Amino acid sequence: MAIIIVDNKSYPVDERQNLLAACLGHGLNVPYFCWHPAMGSVGACRQCAVKQFKDDRDQSGRLVMSCMTPATNGTRISIDDPEAKAFRASVIEWLMVNHPHDCPVCDEGGECHLQDMTVMTRHVYRRYRFPKRTHRNQSLGPFIRHEMNRCIQCYRCVRFYRDYAGGRDLNVFGSHDALYFGREQDGTLENEFSGNLVEVCPTGVFTDKTFFHHYTRKWDLQSAQSICPHCSLGCNTTAGERSGILRRIMNRFNSQVNGYFLCDRGRFGYEYVNSDQRIKRALVRPERDRAKPAQPEGMTQAVEFAADRLRHARGIVGIGSPRASLEANVALRSLVRPEQFYVGMDEHEHRLLSTVLTILRTGPVPSASIHDAEQSDAVFVLGADLLNEAPRLALALLQSIRQQPMDRVDDLKIPQWDEAAVRNAVQNRRGPLFLTGYQRTWFHEYATDSYFAAPDDLARLGFAVAGSIGQGAPSVPDLGSEVRERAQRIAEALAQAQRPLILAGTASGSHATIEAAANIAWALQHQGKQPRLSFVLPECNSAGLALLGGGTLTEAFDAISQGKADTVIVLENDLYRRADQAQVDACFDRAQTVMVIDSLMHRTAARADVLLPAATGPEANGTLVNQEGRAQRFYQVFEPDGDVTESWRWLSDLARATSQEAGSVSGVATWRTFDDAVSATATAAPELARIGEVAPSASFRLVGQKIPRQSERCSGRTSLISHLTVHEPPPPVDSNSPLGFTMEGYRGPLPSPLISQFWAPGWNSIQAVNRYQDEVGGPLRDEMPGLRILEPVATKAPYWFTAIPRAFQPTSRQWLLLPLSAVFGSEELSNQAPAIAERISKPFLSLHPSDGARLNLEDHRTIELALHGTTYRLAVRLDPFTPLGTAGLSLVPEVSGVRAPAWVDLFEAIQTGRTRRVA
């Protein structure tokens, strides 16, 4: 701890910081542009100048850039010195020389960092009267709008895109004051994190194109904390709504999860909430003729009709969902009873998740947060395709490869925030990052070593690494010399690290890779290291659903086919994505009544006799458990229209209506508020006992007031409905959370989940998050980053996994069909967002060139592939990184029903004489 003196006042600071971060952490106003807490300092903009003095006798001092000056003990500076203020004003003036006067029509207006800094430096009059420099804007794809004339040349965009996120198609061109930040030519930004330019850019050069299509000012948005539903990482977001339309998603800082950044699927996939495929009315098919369409019914009538069917049912099968909240799944389990609750996934996926849970419950190694991943100094990824399955975790690993080279930086006594000096010292050195899998992406360019093989061979490599580390882990005796040497190199790198990370996933369908990952982590823990384990799971609440337990889809289908039950309730799940079409059809044909509760129309919803419209995440309150076992709360942002309500509330209403004849009400029928749902969920599994601590309850108040979802400047509440009435109606009453649907309420320090928008006087942009941290870049004040409910209980490995698979052997006619995840296209909800839909690639089949020759297929040919009675049109990609004897199938909407991994006879499946060349 050091003491610095700012304008004759003393402040305790962390001496590892620079002066800018130290001052901002104490709430002092120092303007800046190029500095960013996640990207360090380069001193490009010269905006953060302050006057530094040698001691208390020095009356003249010298100007220094606070972002480039360490906060050493005894440092004496002045922010308010007239010379420093004049210098900062002059910097703003020259930056504004070519900036257009378009704030009223700029999408960034009202939340613009440049506006804030201009006001802060009191620049109010433009003296420049000559022609301005102008640029041509580029078309950068469906996510980002480009307005280059607003650029102030801070370099933040290229530093993030190229240096932080690994992108290569955005750069700076030109020199001096004629710089251009864009692509070499028009075209879609290729990097999976391009949307962060919207928040990184301090002006309006890069803005959210999806927001532009239904734009409203920040202060008119009604907002609340939400959780991204598009993968298992649980990134925190702030969702903003106006007039019943979800307008945008912004990153929400959580020090343990996503920090300052989101992936593009998480940022732009939100428009499924506004989709024309939304189910808005309860639909009922009164007769048992499913050839006739279901008819709209009122909510009460639909519930009564469904309750009557339930009362007369021979048995009820309840099928849950890994994308539904904990509360919704618990409600369904309570309604149908635990023995008739099924988890809504096939047997294979269920076993994979059970294995992961067993490892995290009984093993000695904790699961890794995204923050832990960033701090890891050696990483081994076993089979998971992070860039497509969990992109934000891939971004974290791009930062992890800097950890080991930082030892050299520390030896040279270079502050880690001095980004230019750090990069000069590190040069091209990278920490150990070993990637294995069966699909190559640009992410592999950053790997120390990459290995492409079939899942069984990947698992064998993992077991060999564990055996090389020793400590009792079983070895692989029949391993080739090349693979053995690779395993030894990986083992040595992991053993030399202090914070190694082992990462695997379930997408490949391989139990062995998961078990091998556990063996490696446990062996390292025996060696005295501090390893972390991370498992990428399929969906946003896969871990939570697995904690609840239940039968598999196959068992649910058997219960119907064997006559044990004749009624099915499907919760937020399209079964055709999870099982063969013939199996699902047979189940629905045999069932007397099919009830579906969901938000979007799909093939399962189309088969429903009773269809109840469910609220999406921004329209509901709920709890999700991410892949590390962290339970997090999302809050309702706005009240949905039509008959839409939370799934758990539909199920509670059904339970009450069903139990009326019995005269007794219990279980889910007693739920009236969300707090009731949370209390019941806490008893559903031992790990969920503390679920009520995730966020404040509905009774939480400060100074007797609720917390407003709207800003103090929210406007037009009466004019929005002036065509209906000139009277402002009372706001909706929210009895399920501490938040209010209004601009009135408590404004002051809050527990982090209740912050609706990050704002502070003079700080209208997203940079205002600095004002919510005691130390810039550190946790929020009163941060509630979620509750880790899966923590290690053992001190050493309870056992070793010994089921080492045999080496993969290609066959003469059969190919192992492997799933290829796609960041745009493989996730069900985001596919309904128009911007995401534009980025979804055409379906393809990836083969090794040698296999392509065997099948007489050329690259880029279009083929017709027959699988399980359905024919798919696919482009052929001949890729030398695809393992011999395997075929990779891209998981995009056109092939969402295909089950993989599976063995396929491609000679028989590819329709002969039906191939054509793709132009």
Side-chain angles (χ1 to χ4, degrees):
M1 186 67 70
I3 300 295
I4 64 172
I5 298 94
V6 182
D7 290 316
N8 298 318
K9 291 184 179 180
S10 297
Y11 297 91
V13 299
D14 185 344
E15 58 188 2
R16 294 171 299 178
Q17 292 183 318
N18 57 42
L19 286 175
L20 175 59
C23 290
L24 292 173
H26 282 284
L28 302 174
N29 284 335
V30 181
Y32 64 90
F33 289 116
C34 64
W35 174 82
H36 189 282
M39 297 188 291
S41 306
V42 293
C45 70
R46 323 307 288 173
Q47 184 60 67
C48 64
V50 296
K51 180 70 75 69
Q52 183 177 16
F53 301 93
K54 295 178 182 178
D55 50 42
D56 56 359
R57 297 187 301 274
D58 184 2
Q59 298 298 310
S60 56
R62 66 188 182 99
L63 289 176
V64 297
M65 301 304 119
S66 58
C67 74
M68 300 299 294
T69 307
T72 53
N73 191 46
T75 298
R76 182 180 293 270
I77 63 171
S78 173
I79 299 172
D80 293 334
D81 179 83
E83 186 181 359
K85 292 171 71 174
F87 183 87
R88 295 195 298 267
S90 70
V91 172
I92 279 285
E93 184 170 29
W94 81 56
L95 291 176
M96 294 294 288
V97 160
N98 289 298
H99 195 82
H101 286 175
D102 66 345
C103 295
V105 297
C106 176
D107 288 3
E108 200 77 0
E111 54 180 332
C112 174
H113 188 60
L114 176 60
Q115 283 181 334
D116 289 344
M117 298 302 98
T118 303
V119 173
M120 190 177 293
T121 55
R122 300 184 180 180
H123 174 70
V124 297
Y125 183 77
R126 186 172 300 200
R127 296 182 292 172
Y128 185 74
R129 291 292 180 267
F130 301 99
K132 297 178 182 180
R133 175 204 62 215
T134 58
H135 296 285
R136 174 189 171 274
N137 302 321
Q138 290 185 319
S139 173
L140 298 178
F143 297 157
I144 303 293
R145 293 185 74 219
H146 188 232
E147 178 51 77
M148 186 57 208
N149 291 327
R150 298 171 183 154
C151 182
I152 59 170
Q153 304 174 12
C154 70
Y155 283 84
R156 265 192 182 191
C157 56
V158 292
R159 288 177 56 218
F160 169 77
Y161 196 88
R162 298 179 67 84
D163 299 341
Y164 195 94
R168 285 293 171 265
D169 60 320
L170 181 80
N171 211 336
V172 55
F173 304 92
S175 62
H176 192 48
D177 67 341
L179 296 177
Y180 190 90
F181 294 85
R183 300 181 84 251
E184 184 181 10
Q185 58 186 358
D186 286 22
T188 299
L189 288 171
E190 298 169 1
N191 189 267
E192 289 80 358
F193 311 99
S194 64
N196 292 290
L197 294 174
V198 172
E199 296 183 37
V200 166
C201 177
T203 71
V205 177
F206 300 100
T207 53
D208 184 339
K209 185 177 282 189
T210 66
F211 187 35
F212 168 76
H213 294 313
H214 36 232
Y215 182 75
T216 192
R217 294 297 186 188
K218 171 186 178 179
W219 58 80
D220 286 333
L221 290 172
Q222 183 168 266
S223 305
Q225 170 172 292
S226 196
I227 304 297
C228 177
H230 303 309
C231 80
S232 64
L233 297 183
C235 292
N236 288 208
T237 63
T238 298
E241 172 268 352
R242 174 81 161 173
S243 301
I245 299 172
L246 188 64
R247 306 284 177 149
R248 72 171 178 188
I249 289 291
M250 293 282 281
N251 181 73
R252 187 182 187 87
F253 183 87
N254 183 318
S255 65
Q256 296 303 307
V257 188
N258 48 298
Y260 290 96
F261 304 117
L262 282 178
C263 77
D264 286 355
R265 184 166 69 187
R267 184 181 297 274
F268 301 112
Y270 69 92
E271 286 192 286
Y272 76 93
V273 176
N274 307 325
S275 169
D276 56 8
Q277 294 298 307
R278 283 295 305 276
I279 304 164
K280 293 296 183 76
R281 296 292 176 190
L283 301 177
V284 168
R285 205 187 314 266
E287 302 176 22
R288 298 183 187 274
D289 183 2
R290 290 188 182 140
K292 296 181 179 180
Q295 301 298 318
E297 283 283 0
M299 298 176 70
T300 303
Q301 292 81 359
V303 168
E304 290 175 351
F305 177 86
D308 181 67
R309 290 287 182 93
L310 293 177
R311 281 192 292 267
H312 294 90
R314 184 167 63 250
I316 307 171
V317 164
I319 299 178
S321 171
R323 64 172 168 87
S325 68
L326 275 176
E327 293 78 11
N329 280 295
V330 170
L332 178 59
R333 193 174 79 152
S334 176
L335 174 65
V336 303
R337 296 194 300 274
E339 61 271 18
Q340 293 173 285
F341 177 74
Y342 301 87
V343 292
M345 58 187 75
D346 63 31
E347 183 177 0
H348 190 69
E349 184 179 333
H350 186 257
R351 283 203 307 127
L352 289 170
L353 288 175
S354 298
T355 302
V356 169
L357 275 187
T358 300
I359 291 169
L360 296 181
R361 278 169 162 165
T362 63
V365 176
S367 59
S369 67
I370 296 178
H371 177 73
D372 293 333
E374 287 184 351
Q375 300 302 312
S376 300
D377 53 357
V379 180
F380 182 30
V381 180
L382 196 57
D385 181 4
L386 295 186
L387 202 60
N388 288 300
E389 297 169 23
R392 184 60 185 83
L393 193 51
L395 185 63
L397 296 193
L398 284 178
Q399 316 321 308
S400 74
I401 60 178
R402 295 177 47 137
Q403 295 302 316
Q404 210 171 86
M406 281 297 179
D407 293 341
R408 174 178 173 81
V409 172
D410 294 338
D411 292 341
L412 294 173
K413 301 191 183 311
I414 298 173
Q416 293 193 10
W417 47 258
D418 191 345
E419 183 67 10
V422 165
R423 289 194 174 276
N424 191 44
V426 169
Q427 297 292 322
N428 294 322
R429 297 178 182 86
R430 293 173 183 163
L433 172 60
F434 299 96
L435 301 179
T436 68
Y438 48 85
Q439 176 179 210
R440 182 178 174 83
T441 65
W442 63 261
F443 187 50
H444 289 83
E445 298 172 12
Y446 293 86
T448 306
D449 187 20
S450 297
Y451 178 58
F452 300 94
D456 282 351
D457 287 343
L458 299 180
R460 288 168 60 81
L461 173 65
F463 280 112
V465 170
S468 297
I469 295 171
Q471 309 301 320
S475 58
V476 184
D478 55 337
L479 208 60
S481 59
E482 182 180 344
V483 178
R484 188 174 301 279
E485 290 172 6
R486 175 177 275 117
Q488 188 63 40
R489 289 197 305 272
I490 297 172
E492 289 174 359
L494 295 174
Q496 291 170 8
Q498 293 302 311
R499 301 176 304 280
L501 171 65
I502 317 302
L503 204 153
T506 61
S508 68
S510 171
H511 279 87
T513 55
I514 292 172
E515 294 172 348
N519 274 12
I520 298 168
W522 293 350
L524 289 167
Q525 195 267 347
H526 271 276
Q527 204 178 63
K529 303 298 179 181
Q530 298 177 341
R532 292 289 187 271
L533 260 172
S534 183
F535 295 106
V536 178
L537 305 183
E539 296 184 58
C540 60
N541 201 28
S542 293
L545 183 60
L547 284 170
L548 295 178
T552 66
L553 268 183
T554 302
E555 292 169 334
F557 295 155
D558 289 344
I560 295 294
S561 64
Q562 295 168 11
K564 297 177 182 178
D566 62 356
T567 298
V568 183
I569 302 177
V570 182
L571 173 66
E572 300 186 37
N573 206 334
D574 182 4
L575 303 188
Y576 288 95
R577 292 176 58 91
R578 304 183 187 278
D580 291 337
Q581 179 176 335
Q583 284 183 293
V584 183
D585 284 343
C587 173
F588 288 162
D589 290 342
R590 182 70 183 268
Q592 292 294 307
T593 304
V594 176
M595 301 182 189
V596 176
I597 304 173
D598 213 336
S599 57
L600 292 165
M601 280 300 300
H602 44 64
R603 286 181 290 176
T604 298
R607 297 294 304 270
D609 299 301
V610 179
L611 182 58
L612 304 177
T616 60
E619 298 165 333
N621 301 294
T623 309
L624 302 175
V625 181
N626 75 352
Q627 51 38 273
E628 65 163 308
R630 184 183 300 272
Q632 300 183 99
R633 181 69 40 79
F634 58 88
Y635 283 110
Q636 184 178 16
V637 180
F638 65 104
E639 285 210 322
D641 59 2
D643 298 336
V644 178
T645 192
E646 295 104 323
S647 295
W648 67 261
R649 198 175 295 278
W650 279 119
L651 292 162
S652 179
D653 291 345
L654 279 174
R656 273 192 296 277
T658 305
S659 60
Q660 281 177 353
E661 282 191 4
S664 62
V665 177
S666 61
V668 66
T670 65
W671 297 12
R672 298 288 182 177
T673 67
F674 180 68
D675 281 357
D676 294 336
V678 172
S679 298
T681 301
T683 66
E687 291 88 350
L688 301 177
R690 298 173 55 209
I691 207 75
E693 302 173 25
V694 170
S697 68
S699 61
F700 180 86
R701 299 290 185 276
L702 287 168
V703 199
Q705 300 178 79
K706 299 194 80 169
I707 316 304
R709 288 177 169 92
Q710 300 172 0
S711 76
E712 293 173 290
R713 298 174 59 192
C714 189
S715 62
R717 297 192 301 182
T718 303
S719 62
L720 284 171
I721 56 171
S722 60
H723 62 296
L724 301 174
T725 176
V726 296
H727 301 288
E728 181 182 342
V733 176
D734 185 0
S735 59
N736 294 292
S737 80
L739 304 174
F741 293 106
T742 178
M743 60 192 289
E744 291 81 24
Y746 175 80
R747 298 192 183 275
L750 294 168
S752 62
L754 302 184
I755 300 170
S756 61
Q757 293 182 342
F758 290 100
W759 177 89
W763 298 81
N764 296 285
S765 75
I766 193 61
Q767 311 296 321
V769 72
N770 298 336
R771 292 310 216 224
Y772 291 75
Q773 299 164 318
D774 284 323
E775 183 176 308
V776 174
L780 302 173
R781 296 188 196 96
D782 296 322
E783 185 173 68
M784 300 177 73
L787 180 70
R788 282 176 61 102
I789 58 178
L790 291 176
E791 293 288 5
V793 293
T795 57
K796 62 179 182 179
Y799 46 81
W800 297 104
F801 290 105
T802 58
I804 301 172
R806 296 179 180 178
F808 177 77
Q809 295 294 333
T811 67
S812 59
R813 292 190 62 87
Q814 298 262 318
W815 275 259
L816 180 60
L817 190 66
L818 295 173
L820 300 182
S821 298
V823 64
F824 306 122
S826 293
E827 196 277 320
E828 182 180 5
L829 299 181
S830 62
N831 291 347
Q832 298 294 325
I836 296 291
E838 284 190 43
R839 295 293 306 275
I840 297 176
S841 62
K842 298 294 183 183
F844 65 87
L845 187 73
S846 179
L847 293 164
H848 190 278
S850 299
D851 287 331
R854 286 176 57 201
L855 291 162
N856 198 28
L857 296 177
E858 298 178 14
D859 200 14
H860 303 302
R861 285 276 181 181
T862 294
I863 61 171
E864 292 187 354
L865 185 70
L867 295 171
H868 307 295
T870 304
T871 300
Y872 303 94
R873 294 182 62 81
L874 309 170
V876 173
R877 288 190 185 178
L878 300 183
D879 184 352
F881 296 103
T882 300
L884 273 169
T886 72
L889 181 66
S890 63
L891 297 183
V892 293
E894 292 91 334
V895 294
S896 61
V898 177
R899 312 305 301 152
W903 285 96
V904 176
D905 184 344
L906 290 183
F907 283 110
E908 180 180 324
I910 295 175
Q911 305 292 305
T912 57
R914 293 194 180 182
T915 66
R916 65 180 179 84
R917 187 78 174 171
V918 178

